[in-house]
Amino acid sequence: MDGRDLVRSVSVVGSGRAVRGLRTVRAAWRRRRIDAAGLPQRGTERARVPGQMQGVEPGPGGGLIRFSRSELRITVAVNGAVFWGWDGAGPQPSYALVGSGPEPDPRAVLEPDKDGGWRVVAERVTVVVSRHGAVEVCTPGGVTLRRDLPPRWWEPVGGGSARWLQRSEVAADARFFGLGGRASGPLLRDGTYRLWNTDPGRAFGPGDDPLHLTMPVQLVVADAGTHLVFHDTTWDGTVVLREGEEGAGSGHDRAGRCEVRMDGGPLRCWVVVGTPARLLHTWASLTGAPAAPPAWALGHHHARRGFGSEQEVRRIIAGYQEHGLPLDAVHLDIDHYDDHQVFTVDQERFVKLPVLAEELRRDGIRLVSIVDPAVKAAPGNAVYDSGSDVDAFVRDAAGRTVRGEGWAGESVFPDFTHARVREWWGGLYEERLGQGFAGFWHAMNEPTSFNAFGERTLPRSSRHALEGRGGDHREAHNVYALCMAQAGYEGLRELSPQERPFLFSRSGWAGMQRYAGAWSGDVATGWPGLRASLSLVLGLGLCGVPYSGPDVGGFDGSPSPELFLRWFQLGAYLPLFRTHARSRAGRREPWEFGAEVLGHARVALLERRRLLPYFVTLAHLARRTGAPYVRPLWWGAPEDRALRDCADAFLLGDSLLVAPVLAPGAGRRAVQLPRGRWYDTVTEEAHEGPARVLVDAPLSRIPVFARAGAVVPVRGAGGGLELEVWAPAPGRTGGGLVVPDAGDGWDDPEIERYVARRQGPRVVVTRERGDGTSEPPCPVRVRGLG
């Protein structure tokens, strides 16, 4: 800390929160002191490249290729995914992969290639390795999708982890997506993207990066094909992207470029080639099936920092009931804790919380509790004492418990990379279940430790178990929230085995869908924040996290009635539909914005309630196939360049296209339609795609289109299941899938398949079964015939 830092600290202390300001200054000093003593000095480094190829050793699914200064192992798995690792790196150990990973494909063959190189030939992909270590991923027809140049390492002369650089080239027309939750997406333009889960310490907008949930997962979409690439290392790093440029037929194209730099960890990656649906299905087979939320979690949630008391919660719920607004969950923020201490309750303001929870459950409303990882460092605090007994907390290089600054003051942090600690932490949720909570919201789990200046996290030299391998926070930071989610999920399965756990998290890493969904964090109130909300959900879905959503209305400011309504209308079509704000930013109850907004919000809420069977179906299909609920418009046609560049609309499953209003004062908006016939779900007017159409977008609704032939499960007027069928185009057929959810347990319901056929002026709908066809077991409503 220099003099300028000290001057800045004065403004922190004098901001009206002097006590916390002083503690954050102390935390900054402490963090720097710990890292100065505990982090190894890099000193002189030696650069290295693979060198010349020396020989090969065939093996299952591929083989080992030796170079003069390194070796490369390539394996094609039975699911078609390609793994390669340099310097002896294998698929395990990995926090991303589920189980031991897929088996090698015995049909893949390692054979000589031209110019002294070798190639691995498999059914869906060919991998070509040059004699200098460049790796090309090609289609079976020989079209190159990706070319990784020979990597480069920088190794400390005195020993330690090497940092590395991997440069890659893709087609000139390729577009980049993914990298976790990015506010500027979903299409990632030229720029540098950091791979370090970060609490920005303030509300964020499209220009902020990195954010809470980063992943080294990219989807690259080009005319020649689509592929997913995952660099499996948890260290801090950056990805630099540069779109290519086509030569207008001259043949002088400039390739798109990707540069991955990592501060350490193995240089290993997975590549999957195929359609978007195949990519996400294979990705789920590698990293685990997404956890299906209970059915109630697909309804409307309401949260606020600063409910303040049991009486205020009851007042808000009464307001929803008085205004005829469906409500499925209420979230309690840190203010319901006793002095902000996790797994406690303020008994003065929430005197009978279990009674409240039981009353709400009878009305179909669940309570959801926030859970932060920071534990108040105070003897007598039950969580601190029990954690100390099992040696649960992160220590520094000298063996002392690392202390940071959390909401409760000076805090310690569990080491979730240790199985024993995860088991201990999972058992703590018994207290939450006893209070009547049905779901859990993980926050501050990057992890965040308040700091007057510098990174708001633990010292990088902090020691972690890393499943017995040992290491420091540089390697553990990005998977901290993933391991916390695992602890919560496994604990809840043990404590309440009859119900599916409901967890969502602010931070995470590749594979977190096995345990939890995601929430965007504190997105800034404003029209750019509204646009960022959609980008985050789309980007996370393409990285394998299908259940996510933003704070409707933004977190930090007071939205105008128009902005709140447009955000609310978008939220009604996103997986996690939650209004949330801090208390001083104003309320987020729809009736607070006037009678007109209330009426339109009620329409959006009732439509969400009507579509719940469709959301339940999407949740179960995501668990089985990995396909996100919310998909980019190019999902079914990645070769359509106009759809690739469209970031202001999305597909909800296969059947619906949603075009939110993302700018003020708009009464109409242009919508890019994919190929086929699309019906306006309000007017039932038909539009033929591919086309760009101009449609009405009054304040009362946002444009939503249904695909011709779609069979959509909806909730009927009496609460039962109905099928809403949109007429196929003449001479065409359509269909849809329905997964009825028997409840919130572990039953695996059968997928029902329906086919819609146009027969003259009529549409006939049948259920397809293994033993033939039958009439649908529920009412059918045909739309679009007029």
Side-chain angles (χ1 to χ4, degrees), residues 442-466:
H442 287 182
M444 308 295 286
N445 54 345
E446 289 72 27
T448 294
S449 173
F450 298 135
N451 198 332
F453 17 78
E455 290 184 337
R456 292 161 54 97
T457 190
L458 303 184
R460 291 190 167 218
S461 59
S462 303
R463 304 300 298 173
H464 291 266
L466 290 168

Side-chain angles (χ1 to χ4, degrees), residues 310-311 313-315 317-318 321 327-330 351-367 434-437:
E310 212 172 287
Q311 290 71 30
V313 173
R314 292 181 184 277
R315 187 187 73 81
I317 293 169
Q321 294 169 340
L327 181 64
D328 297 274
V330 172
V351 181
K352 298 180 180 179
L353 193 55
V355 174
L356 172 64
E358 181 57 32
E359 291 176 1
L360 295 184
R361 189 180 285 258
R362 287 198 294 267
D363 290 336
I365 302 171
R366 268 69 169 189
L367 275 185
Q435 295 291 342
F437 289 105

Side-chain angles (χ1 to χ4, degrees), residues 385-617:
D385 290 344
S386 65
S388 299
D389 289 342
V390 298
D391 191 21
F393 303 121
V394 173
R395 295 180 178 271
D396 63 18
R400 298 171 299 227
T401 301
V402 171
R403 299 197 172 203
E405 186 66 22
W407 289 118
E410 190 172 64
S411 302
V412 292
F413 296 81
D415 181 7
F416 295 116
T417 69
H418 197 302
R420 183 189 68 246
V421 177
R422 290 196 294 269
E423 183 179 5
W424 162 75
W425 185 265
L428 297 176
Y429 288 78
E430 184 174 14
E431 181 274 340
R432 297 282 87 187
L433 294 175
Q435 295 291 342
F437 289 105
F440 303 94
W441 152 33
H442 287 182
M444 308 295 286
N445 54 345
E446 289 72 27
T448 294
S449 173
F450 298 135
N451 198 332
F453 17 78
E455 290 184 337
R456 292 161 54 97
T457 190
L458 303 184
R460 291 190 167 218
S461 59
S462 303
R463 304 300 298 173
H464 291 266
L466 290 168
E467 317 310 322
R469 293 179 288 111
D472 60 35
H473 198 67
R474 294 174 297 172
E475 185 176 358
H477 174 87
N478 280 336
V479 295
Y480 189 88
L482 170 70
C483 295
M484 180 184 177
Q486 180 183 358
Y489 183 85
E490 291 176 348
L492 290 168
R493 288 208 61 174
E494 182 74 22
L495 293 166
S496 186
Q498 304 305 316
E499 296 184 2
R500 299 198 298 269
F502 175 56
L503 288 171
F504 65 99
S505 175
R506 190 169 80 174
S507 186
W509 203 65
M512 72 167 293
Q513 75 277 354
R514 300 191 296 263
Y515 315 114
W519 141 71
S520 65
D522 300 341
V523 62
T525 297
W527 293 95
L530 170 59
R531 184 175 290 270
S533 296
L534 176 56
S535 298
L536 287 157
V537 174
L538 280 164
L540 288 170
L542 292 175
C543 291
V545 183
Y547 182 89
S548 68
D551 289 341
V552 168
F555 184 71
D556 65 329
S558 298
S560 68
E562 180 191 12
L563 173 59
F564 174 79
L565 178 60
R566 292 309 196 186
W567 214 317
F568 197 87
Q569 290 167 334
L570 167 62
Y573 293 94
L574 299 180
L576 173 58
F577 179 21
R578 183 177 90 141
T579 47
H580 181 222
R582 67 173 75 196
S583 55
R584 68 171 181 267
R587 301 188 184 279
R588 290 291 186 274
E589 292 80 47
W591 56 88
E592 298 287 346
F593 294 87
E596 183 180 19
V597 168
L598 173 62
H600 299 330
R602 182 184 296 110
V603 171
L605 267 176
L606 293 176
E607 179 65 4
R608 173 60 172 242
R609 179 58 57 95
R610 193 179 75 91
L611 287 173
L612 274 179
Y614 186 51
F615 276 93
V616 167
T617 293

Side-chain angles (χ1 to χ4, degrees), residues 12-26 405 409:
V12 174
V13 175
S15 65
R17 290 174 288 177
V19 174
R20 176 164 292 155
L22 286 170
R23 290 201 303 250
T24 60
V25 172
R26 183 176 61 184
E405 186 66 22

